[in-house]
Amino acid sequence: MKLYTYFRSSAAYRTRIALNVKGIAPEQISIHLTKDGGKQHSPEYRAVNPQRRVPSLVLDDGTILMQSPAIIEYLDEIQPNPPFLPKDPVARAKVRAWFNALAQQQTIARGREAVERLLQREGRTAVKLDDLAAQL
């Protein structure tokens, strides 16, 4: 098993945590997302993951899993103990909602920071998006 990962990716981080909880230690291959324009755009990595995102988990039979929620659910199915989700369906739904909200908040925060950095790099005054949203 091989995990294509990057230390600053929150999705890859969640996947590494899940692997650790399950006691699974795949070979880890770092895909640097910023060096040389981003190694995820290389032909070699596009062959692994056409979405050009991390994480990707390559199983021993060559099957490739993408997207952290799908990988984490797979890990829970092949290694049910300790379980990631409670038995109660309502509690399971609440955990899934929390997980999705956390992932969305991390994505929004990264996008906001990226826009502010781009504005600063071009010598423009970086308007804080929170301040802009408050004016709407």
Side-chain angles (χ1 to χ4, degrees):
M1 189 179 291
K2 294 180 184 178
L3 176 67
Y4 289 85
T5 185
Y6 184 59
F7 77 102
R8 293 185 71 188
S9 163
S10 59
Y13 184 63
R14 287 189 297 272
T15 302
R16 291 192 310 272
I17 291 170
L19 285 159
N20 188 44
V21 167
K22 295 296 184 176
I24 301 170
E27 174 187 355
Q28 292 191 29
I29 300 165
S30 180
I31 301 296
H32 202 294
L33 300 181
T34 59
K35 188 176 186 179
D36 299 326
K39 299 293 185 180
Q40 73 275 24
H41 302 298
S42 71
E44 296 82 14
Y45 188 64
R46 282 193 314 203
V48 172
N49 186 333
Q51 296 175 356
R52 296 181 266 180
R53 298 180 184 271
V54 293
S56 297
L57 185 67
V58 180
L59 307 181
D60 292 335
D61 69 359
T63 301
I64 301 169
L65 304 178
M66 297 175 274
Q67 297 290 340
S68 62
I71 294 169
I72 291 168
E73 286 183 28
Y74 168 79
L75 295 172
D76 207 31
E77 290 169 0
I78 65 163
Q79 185 79 23
N81 288 310
F84 288 138
L85 296 172
K87 289 184 179 186
D88 176 67
V90 172
R92 291 169 77 89
K94 289 180 179 182
V95 169
R96 286 185 178 116
W98 178 84
F99 181 83
N100 289 334
L102 176 64
Q104 290 171 3
Q105 287 173 355
Q106 290 171 339
T107 299
I108 290 167
R110 283 193 313 270
R112 177 177 46 219
E113 292 166 2
V115 167
E116 290 172 357
R117 279 194 309 271
L118 284 172
L119 287 171
Q120 288 174 343
R121 188 179 315 158
E122 294 190 12
R124 299 180 186 175
T125 302
V127 175
K128 294 289 183 188
L129 297 181
D130 289 335
D131 295 341
L132 183 61
Q135 295 173 15
L136 299 178

